[in-house]
Amino acid sequence: MNKLDFDNFARMQVMSLPDMGPVQVAECFGDKLTNLLSADEIAGINTIVITGCGDSYAASLAFQPTVERSTGCRVLAPRAVEFTRFVTSADLIDPKKTLVIGISTGGSTARVVEVLKKANEIGAISLVITNGPESICAETAKHTLVLGTPEFPNDFPGLRSYV
């Protein structure tokens, strides 16, 4: 059997992951991450909210237990619409000590923009994780972590953005 007879975009992306991993780690860590938030902002955080839409929401659910274990903070992963419509300042203990992380690979997801706007309005620290440094999400958030995922031909369904 020739595996290439069954080649498709998802398989090509999976096969590219071992080469992409080191590039992604180098892009996301180091000075970019070290300088993302100030020491005062980090020291005050007691609640972290992580959310997105679709696959980005799934990424937030996968990310939640790791963040909770490594930070000791209370970590919530509500759906974006739940956060914008139903989470109140009282639910967050102290909004000024809350980090709200919106995930949007392209940076134009309307619900994530709403999440970041609400975070700003209630005085929380807003952060977007995105590949779109000039996007509406990046413009709305107080802080932006640009993933720098390397370009890939035929990147649909977008599997590589979650590594």
Side-chain angles (χ1 to χ4, degrees):
M1 178 173 90
N2 182 357
K3 291 181 183 179
L4 292 180
D5 290 342
F6 302 97
D7 210 14
N8 59 56
F9 299 148
R11 180 187 176 280
M12 288 182 226
Q13 288 183 49
V14 168
M15 299 306 288
S16 77
L17 295 180
D19 293 329
M20 189 192 86
V23 173
Q24 192 77 73
V25 168
E27 188 67 33
C28 288
F29 294 96
D31 289 342
K32 185 188 282 188
L33 191 58
T34 303
N35 300 319
L36 190 59
L37 300 173
S38 73
D40 288 341
E41 287 173 316
I42 293 169
I45 296 170
N46 62 24
T47 302
I48 300 172
V49 176
I50 310 169
T51 192
C53 294
D55 291 347
S56 293
Y57 177 60
S60 72
L61 290 172
F63 197 37
Q64 179 187 12
T66 301
V67 173
E68 201 161 46
R69 278 193 309 271
S70 63
T71 65
C73 293
R74 181 174 72 131
V75 180
L76 309 173
R79 292 179 306 130
V81 69
E82 179 183 341
F83 177 78
T84 58
R85 304 299 190 274
F86 304 112
V87 173
T88 67
S89 295
D91 295 325
L92 302 175
I93 303 171
D94 182 353
K96 295 190 182 336
K97 294 182 178 183
T98 299
L99 172 63
V100 177
I101 302 171
I103 304 172
S104 175
T105 302
S108 61
T109 307
R111 292 258 190 244
V112 176
V113 173
E114 289 178 18
V115 165
L116 298 168
K117 284 181 180 178
K118 179 174 181 175
N120 293 340
E121 288 167 6
I122 64 174
I125 302 163
S126 59
L127 166 69
V128 66
I129 299 175
T130 185
N131 263 328
E134 307 296 323
S135 66
I136 185 73
C137 282
E139 290 174 9
T140 305
K142 293 177 185 170
H143 304 281
T144 301
L145 176 60
V146 179
L147 295 172
T149 304
E151 293 290 322
F152 191 78
N154 303 316
D155 65 353
F156 185 79
L159 167 72
R160 293 165 42 96
S161 62
Y162 300 102
V163 172

